[in-house]
Amino acid sequence: MDMLHVRLVVPPDLAAATLRTLADDRYVFNLVVLPAAARHPAGDAVECDVLAGAANGLLRRLRALEVERRGSIVVEPVEMALSGPAAAAESGRLGPLAHAPVWEEVEARIRAEGTYLPSFYLYLTVAGIIGAVGIITNSQILIVAAMVVGPEYGAITSVALGLEHGNRRRVRQGLLALLIGFGSAVLATFLFALLVRGLGLQPTAFALGLRPVSDLIDTPNFYSVVVAVLAGVVGIVSLTQARTSALLGVFISVTTIPAAADVGVSCAFSSFTEARGALAQLLLNIVVLIVVGVLTLKGQHRIWRLIESRERSSHRA
């Protein structure tokens, strides 16, 4: 049984409406009210449990009352709940909504990934160098390793969320982080490849132009778009369903970090045609992931709203 624990601090003038909202919701259980017990902000301390599938509607109603603006709302997952009435409500009434994502939780997860600490740029730079080694040595394993290390997908989904909500500040921050991060990765791989070239450490095959890994990266085509679109859809769906295994698959299927590494390596070895191709691959993947991310977020919101409306109508009938 998927259940969430909700803690509220409710200002006195909102207490009656808030308690009525909670008491009238048949998916809310274990309602506890401690009048005037809360401090900073001051108000009534209210706790309850709600079935996860019904949390979206409840949170919307609480936010409409401005509880989160004037008071506080804290939502925590419940690891285990033993409740006959709650189990009966989940199995008999919620239907498909029992598996609905909690959008506040999903968006909080995406926003958390949109925090660009120094480690974000460090990971991108390190991933770029790993990718450069993979390109120079024609090692597909190292290319996959670079994809896993790279944290850029968090910034991409943050930009998509910002576009969906019309949050220009989030969009600007995400795009700037991507620009600086990938710029740092390209510069680091360029300097690394220059060092390799200066010391003559490049493998014979690479020096002779046998670069199968690089050829795959710097030649964007129809299949690049197909993979980016599918990865974008799976990435957003896996975030909404908290499927980390599927999200890992997204990391190792989209050519972003390898493309950035290929730009630096190709420039260092004066292969400017390949550098242009790798840059086109990088920009193509970022743009497609952002656009598909926005469309998938909007689509999922609409689908689950329709399911919620249908379930509500069926229970009324």
Side-chain angles (χ1 to χ4, degrees):
M1 178 169 46
D2 292 330
M3 183 174 280
L4 300 174
H5 183 66
V6 182
R7 292 189 287 115
L8 309 171
V9 174
V10 184
D13 59 311
L14 297 180
T18 301
L19 293 178
R20 187 164 53 250
T21 297
L22 295 172
D24 290 346
D25 194 320
R26 58 184 170 182
Y27 301 119
V28 170
F29 303 91
N30 309 324
L31 179 59
V32 178
V33 182
L34 301 174
R39 299 290 184 273
H40 192 61
D44 296 349
V46 181
E47 297 188 21
C48 66
D49 297 314
V50 60
L51 292 177
N56 290 312
L58 177 64
L59 290 173
R60 279 199 304 271
R61 292 190 291 275
L62 292 174
R63 296 187 71 175
L65 293 172
E66 298 188 337
V67 174
E68 95 287 356
R69 188 177 69 84
R70 299 181 52 200
S72 175
I73 302 177
V74 177
V75 181
E76 302 170 325
V78 175
E79 297 297 332
M80 183 176 69
L82 303 176
S83 171
E90 182 182 51
S91 61
R93 298 176 186 173
L94 272 177
L97 282 179
H99 307 289
V102 181
W103 292 108
E104 297 290 343
E105 181 185 7
V106 171
E107 293 179 5
R109 195 181 303 132
I110 294 176
R111 286 193 296 268
E113 293 295 325
T115 303
Y116 310 109
L117 302 175
S119 58
F120 173 85
Y121 305 102
L122 176 63
Y123 284 139
L124 268 177
T125 302
V126 171
I129 295 175
I130 294 174
V133 175
I135 291 169
I136 294 172
T137 61
N138 286 319
S139 171
Q140 296 182 6
I141 293 176
L142 289 178
I143 295 298
V144 171
M147 291 175 171
V148 174
V149 172
E152 72 279 4
Y153 190 67
I156 289 171
T157 54
S158 182
V159 171
L161 180 65
L163 288 171
E164 196 217 359
H165 288 329
N167 188 331
R168 295 182 180 180
R169 180 171 174 271
R170 177 166 295 278
V171 173
R172 285 196 303 269
Q173 287 180 336
L175 292 177
L176 182 61
L178 289 171
L179 177 62
I180 295 174
F182 278 116
S184 300
V186 170
L187 178 61
T189 55
F190 173 73
L191 295 176
F192 173 77
L194 272 183
L195 177 65
V196 171
R197 184 180 184 182
L199 297 177
L201 297 177
Q202 65 270 29
T204 303
F206 186 86
L208 293 175
L210 300 176
R211 306 172 184 180
V213 171
S214 181
D215 291 342
L216 289 172
I217 295 170
D218 58 37
T219 53
N221 51 35
F222 168 77
Y223 299 107
S224 303
V225 177
V226 170
V227 172
V229 168
L230 295 177
V233 172
V234 172
I236 296 298
V237 173
S238 64
L239 280 172
T240 59
Q241 299 295 329
R243 291 281 305 277
T244 55
S245 58
L247 193 58
L248 182 61
V250 173
F251 295 161
I252 60 178
S253 63
V254 180
T255 312
T256 48
I257 279 292
D262 202 7
V263 172
V265 172
S266 297
C267 287
F269 282 90
S270 301
S271 302
F272 298 111
T273 300
E274 289 78 3
R276 285 193 294 270
L279 180 60
Q281 181 82 271
L282 174 61
L283 296 176
L284 172 69
N285 277 275
I286 291 175
V287 170
V288 170
L289 285 173
I290 291 174
V291 172
V292 172
V294 174
L295 295 177
T296 306
L297 282 171
K298 287 182 178 295
Q300 285 200 99
H301 272 117
R302 182 165 297 181
I303 289 170
W304 284 109
R305 285 285 182 88
L306 289 174
I307 293 174
E308 184 178 352
S309 299
R310 188 186 65 185
E311 291 298 314
R312 191 185 302 119
S313 299
S314 65
H315 285 306
R316 285 174 181 171

